[in-house]
Amino acid sequence: MINSCLCPLVIRGEDKGPEHSRIGGHKPTNRLEIFCVTVKFCQRFRMATEQPKVATEEAKIDLFEDDDEFEEFEIDQEWEDKEEGTDITQQWEDDWDDDDVTDDFSLQLRRELEDNTDKK
Amino acid sequence: MQSEKYSQYVDIMVPLFRALQNYRLGNLVDSYQAFEKSANAFIQEFRNWDSAWALDALHVVAYEIRVLAERADRELGAIGKNPEKLKGAGSFLMKVFGVLAGKGPKRVGALYVTCQLFKIYFKLGTVHLCRSVIRSIETARIFDFEEFPIRDKVTYMYYTGRLEVFNENFPAADHKLSYALTHCNSRSEANIRMILKYLIPVKLSIGMIPKNSLLEKYNLTEYSNIVLALKRGDLRLLRHALREHEDRFLRSGVYLVLEKLELQVYQRLVKKIYIIQKQKDPNKAHQIKLEVIVKALKWLEMDMDVDEVECIMSILIYKNLVKGYFAHKSKVAVLSKQDPFPKLNGKPVGS
């Protein structure tokens, strides 16, 4: 586990660092790098020792919840922010409000209205 | 001198390991308290470092403190004590935000911290606290929104978009949620679904409907009948759909938004009556007798008398969903010969 934490940081220390770590132009000393790694180690330790029993207690407790909490993206996650989005933006229709009255509902409506005029 | 140089790291590391140990033992409140101590010591040092080299670590701290606080609160709740750790984590993160809100390179981390704060406030139900941090992000001249990482921008627009929905500010909600949708990682299906859950009621309110394929793909079929009701002008179906998924809509807070679609459904129904009349007798079509509408509503299991229908028609005219006027004595709605049923065209009703 420690190796998997150290390696990404060592590689990052060279060229592929996230930009914001390099903006100040300050190169971290070895000890500070180790500190950063240790924090990451702690996170993975926590995740590895997950307490499953917490889940059952959840049901009994009436705490506030947000059903729609956004899932975390990975810290280093960038994705291709091209117009991949256009596919999903083309899923809306604004021309649905047409003059077509040949659907079942409209035909039934017409019958209802005609029925009434006949009854007069 | 030597011990002085590294003592600050001792203040960070010792409580951090204590937090881990407690976590492993299942003492979540103790774990949180130790972590909070470590995090505070970390921030003390962080604010003195000129470069942003420790931003990664800061991200982890910001996330972990929130998650730990949630677990600690659950433990407190289980033993009958007051759950206040998440609130405390919120205070800590506000402090962190203050540290990041400067001119230096650290400021790109501010949006991530903002999003963690949003998650806390939404969970606690104290969403009014979002206002001050939103104001800092949007109006303070320190930040350039475009500088932030895309993942934080998407998350930010999702939460601020939700706030706009609660405030029924639909054009703003549309802008923000659409941004989140367009720029979200297409593989994050759960997140896309959440965005759509709030965006769909907004789009419906401005006269745009989602394709059924979209609803099916992201498992949002609770909206299917609402969309159908709007397309048909079927008030009975709308009421049925609202009742069927009432709990779900109430929980997400979109119930009122959907309920207000009723006016647009009325518009569609009256329009259909108009078209049907026009096909029979084009010369008389623009005059609609109220009793005809009453009969249609009765068929849709809505018992209304002529006066109530008159009231509805007046509202439709007032909100510019119907163009025309009302001949009260003869109980006839006289529609404008040109564009009697104006489309919303992306604007909410009555604007």
Side-chain angles (χ1 to χ4, degrees), chain B residues 74-87:
Chain B
R74 258 179 240 138
E75 184 178 278
L76 286 171
I79 58 178
K81 287 207 180 150
N82 188 30
E84 21 100 279
K85 296 306 178 192
L86 192 57
K87 200 169 161 205

Side-chain angles (χ1 to χ4, degrees), chain A residues 12 32 46 50-51 64 67-68 70-72 75 79 81 84 91 93 96-97 106 110, chain B residues 9 23 64 71 112 116 119 123 151 158 183 186 191 197-198 209 211 251 268 272 279:
Chain A
R12 205 182 287 145
L32 296 178
R46 183 190 62 73
E50 276 307 345
Q51 309 270 343
F64 290 108
D67 290 343
D68 299 314
F70 221 51
E71 286 182 358
E72 293 274 325
I75 281 300
W79 50 82
D81 187 26
E84 217 174 320
Q91 298 291 322
E93 301 171 5
W96 54 275
D97 189 10
S106 306
R110 182 197 295 266
Chain B
Y9 294 107
Y23 188 87
E64 293 296 319
R71 310 252 164 116
Y112 182 78
Q116 294 304 313
K119 291 188 179 185
K123 198 160 211 145
R151 53 155 210 272
Y158 166 72
H183 296 282
S186 54
N191 281 349
K197 192 172 169 187
Y198 291 93
I209 66 174
K211 291 191 183 151
R251 274 187 82 87
R268 187 81 177 128
K272 286 210 166 168
Q279 286 178 348

Side-chain angles (χ1 to χ4, degrees), chain B residues 28-30 32-33 36 65-66 68-74 76 82-91 120 124:
Chain B
L28 298 163
V29 178
D30 290 337
Y32 172 80
Q33 270 160 203
E36 196 189 48
I65 201 168
R66 175 176 66 86
L68 264 175
E70 286 171 16
R71 310 252 164 116
D73 273 357
R74 258 179 240 138
L76 286 171
N82 188 30
E84 21 100 279
K85 296 306 178 192
L86 192 57
K87 200 169 161 205
S91 303
I120 291 178
L124 292 174

Side-chain angles (χ1 to χ4, degrees), chain B residues 191-259:
Chain B
N191 281 349
I192 292 179
R193 181 180 185 274
M194 279 186 248
I195 298 170
L196 284 170
K197 192 172 169 187
Y198 291 93
L199 183 57
I200 288 168
V202 172
K203 288 286 194 190
L204 292 174
S205 301
I206 61 174
M208 303 191 64
I209 66 174
K211 291 191 183 151
N212 218 46
S213 51
L214 185 71
L215 296 181
E216 278 167 8
K217 181 174 180 190
Y218 291 103
N219 192 23
L220 288 165
T221 49
E222 62 259 35
Y223 291 121
S224 296
N225 276 341
I226 305 231
V227 170
L228 187 57
L230 190 55
K231 268 195 197 171
R232 281 183 183 170
D234 191 343
L235 288 155
R236 175 178 47 192
L237 184 60
L238 178 71
R239 291 193 169 190
H240 165 78
L242 285 173
R243 232 178 300 128
E244 190 183 356
H245 300 289
E246 190 178 54
D247 285 342
R248 216 193 293 215
F249 294 147
L250 283 171
R251 274 187 82 87
S252 59
V254 298
Y255 186 88
L256 287 177
V257 177
L258 295 170
E259 198 183 44

Side-chain angles (χ1 to χ4, degrees), chain A residues 39-86:
Chain A
V39 178
K40 271 235 147 87
F41 166 72
C42 295
Q43 180 192 35
R44 287 176 204 200
F45 179 86
R46 183 190 62 73
M47 281 158 59
T49 54
E50 276 307 345
Q51 309 270 343
K53 68 170 182 167
V54 177
T56 48
E57 282 174 51
E58 241 180 285
K60 298 187 222 148
I61 297 153
D62 185 29
L63 291 176
F64 290 108
E65 284 299 330
D66 180 16
D67 290 343
D68 299 314
E69 185 173 290
F70 221 51
E71 286 182 358
E72 293 274 325
F73 295 116
E74 286 299 305
I75 281 300
D76 290 336
Q77 195 173 15
E78 299 276 330
W79 50 82
E80 285 237 16
D81 187 26
K82 50 174 176 147
E83 287 311 292
E84 217 174 320
T86 50

Side-chain angles (χ1 to χ4, degrees), chain B residues 92-112:
Chain B
F92 171 77
L93 287 176
M94 275 306 282
K95 196 161 60 176
V96 174
F97 184 86
V99 169
L100 295 172
K103 290 215 186 101
K106 295 179 210 165
R107 69 185 185 281
V108 294
L111 205 62
Y112 182 78

Side-chain angles (χ1 to χ4, degrees), chain B residues 24-75:
Chain B
R24 199 175 56 76
L25 293 171
N27 304 328
L28 298 163
V29 178
D30 290 337
S31 177
Y32 172 80
Q33 270 160 203
F35 191 87
E36 196 189 48
K37 201 159 173 221
S38 167
N40 271 308
F42 171 71
I43 280 299
Q44 288 293 84
E45 292 311 310
F46 181 84
R47 40 164 40 119
N48 299 329
W49 299 324
D50 282 328
S51 85
W53 73 271
L55 259 180
D56 270 2
L58 183 83
H59 279 89
V60 174
V61 169
Y63 172 80
E64 293 296 319
I65 201 168
R66 175 176 66 86
V67 172
L68 264 175
E70 286 171 16
R71 310 252 164 116
D73 273 357
R74 258 179 240 138
E75 184 178 278

